[in-house]
Amino acid sequence: MRKKISVIATSLLLYLFIKEVNSRYFVLNLSPSMEKGLYFLRDVDELKKGDVVVLNIPLNVKETLYSRGYLPKNIKTLLKEIVAVEGDIIDIAHKKLYINGELKGDIAEVDPRGRKLVSFAKNGALKKDEVFLLGRGENSFDSRYFGTIEKSEILKKTILIKEF
């Protein structure tokens, strides 16, 4: 009986340790908006275009993400790529997103189920601590729909370790 209790206690402690280590150092992405896989989390030093980052779900779209089933309620963060930084020009014309004159994608008016989408993206140059984020998947819910993000809202940078 003691051995059984010891095994259970050890297993529980090991599970809690692994869970804590994983949430601190790794994130698993199963969303099609970015490459599916295991990402290593790094502290944010400087942020530049091309960095893939983790951020809390912006408050202005949290209810939409959960109520429409885009994400389960236990998911609290998003994984996106920085595509524009201070001084870059965002231009929205004819439901298309341009950054510094280069076409970056469409801005959908409805989601795949026909529900109306609202774009928070604004035309103009990004300010000093702003970044614009995009996912790499076709229906990514990103800065086109929640707007620019302050650099201080970025929690971690990532490195893709294993894609699947």
Side-chain angles (χ1 to χ4, degrees):
M1 180 68 164
R2 277 188 177 171
K3 186 174 183 180
K4 192 174 188 178
I5 291 172
S6 176
V7 168
I8 291 170
T10 302
S11 297
L12 180 60
L13 287 172
L14 185 59
Y15 167 77
L16 292 172
F17 174 75
I18 289 171
K19 185 177 177 189
E20 176 65 21
V21 167
N22 282 342
S23 65
R24 277 186 161 169
Y25 300 107
F26 300 97
V27 67
L28 181 65
N29 180 53
L30 300 176
S31 165
S33 70
M34 292 294 289
E35 290 81 6
K36 293 180 181 181
L38 182 64
Y39 291 77
F40 177 71
L41 299 175
R42 304 181 322 169
D43 287 335
V44 176
D45 44 13
E46 67 171 315
L47 293 169
K48 61 187 182 314
K49 289 182 198 178
D51 286 343
V52 176
V53 298
V54 174
L55 65 146
N56 286 321
I57 296 172
L59 293 176
N60 63 335
V61 294
K62 188 179 265 191
E63 182 57 34
T64 300
L65 285 173
Y66 293 148
S67 67
R68 292 186 177 192
Y70 296 163
L71 290 175
K73 288 188 178 183
N74 66 324
I75 303 295
K76 305 295 182 201
T77 58
L78 298 175
L79 183 72
K80 303 294 175 193
E81 179 183 2
I82 296 176
V83 295
V85 295
E86 177 184 357
D88 287 332
I89 308 295
I90 304 298
D91 184 31
I92 298 162
H94 308 290
K95 300 177 196 134
K96 305 253 183 233
L97 168 68
Y98 297 87
I99 299 176
N100 298 326
E102 182 182 337
L103 177 63
K104 291 295 184 176
D106 295 327
I107 297 180
E109 291 185 328
V110 296
D111 71 9
R113 291 188 178 173
R115 297 171 292 195
K116 185 165 176 49
L117 288 170
V118 176
S119 174
F120 286 92
K122 305 272 190 255
N123 289 329
L126 267 61
K127 296 177 187 157
K128 188 178 176 192
D129 289 313
E130 290 181 319
V131 294
F132 197 90
L133 307 171
L134 289 179
R136 295 179 181 155
E138 184 178 336
N139 294 316
S140 178
F141 199 85
D142 47 38
S143 283
R144 292 174 285 190
Y145 308 105
F146 54 73
T148 59
I149 295 295
E150 294 290 322
K151 286 182 178 181
S152 62
E153 295 179 62
I154 304 294
L155 302 173
K156 295 284 185 177
K157 290 172 56 169
T158 69
I159 298 173
L160 179 61
I161 295 174
K162 176 67 177 163
E163 186 175 351
F164 39 83

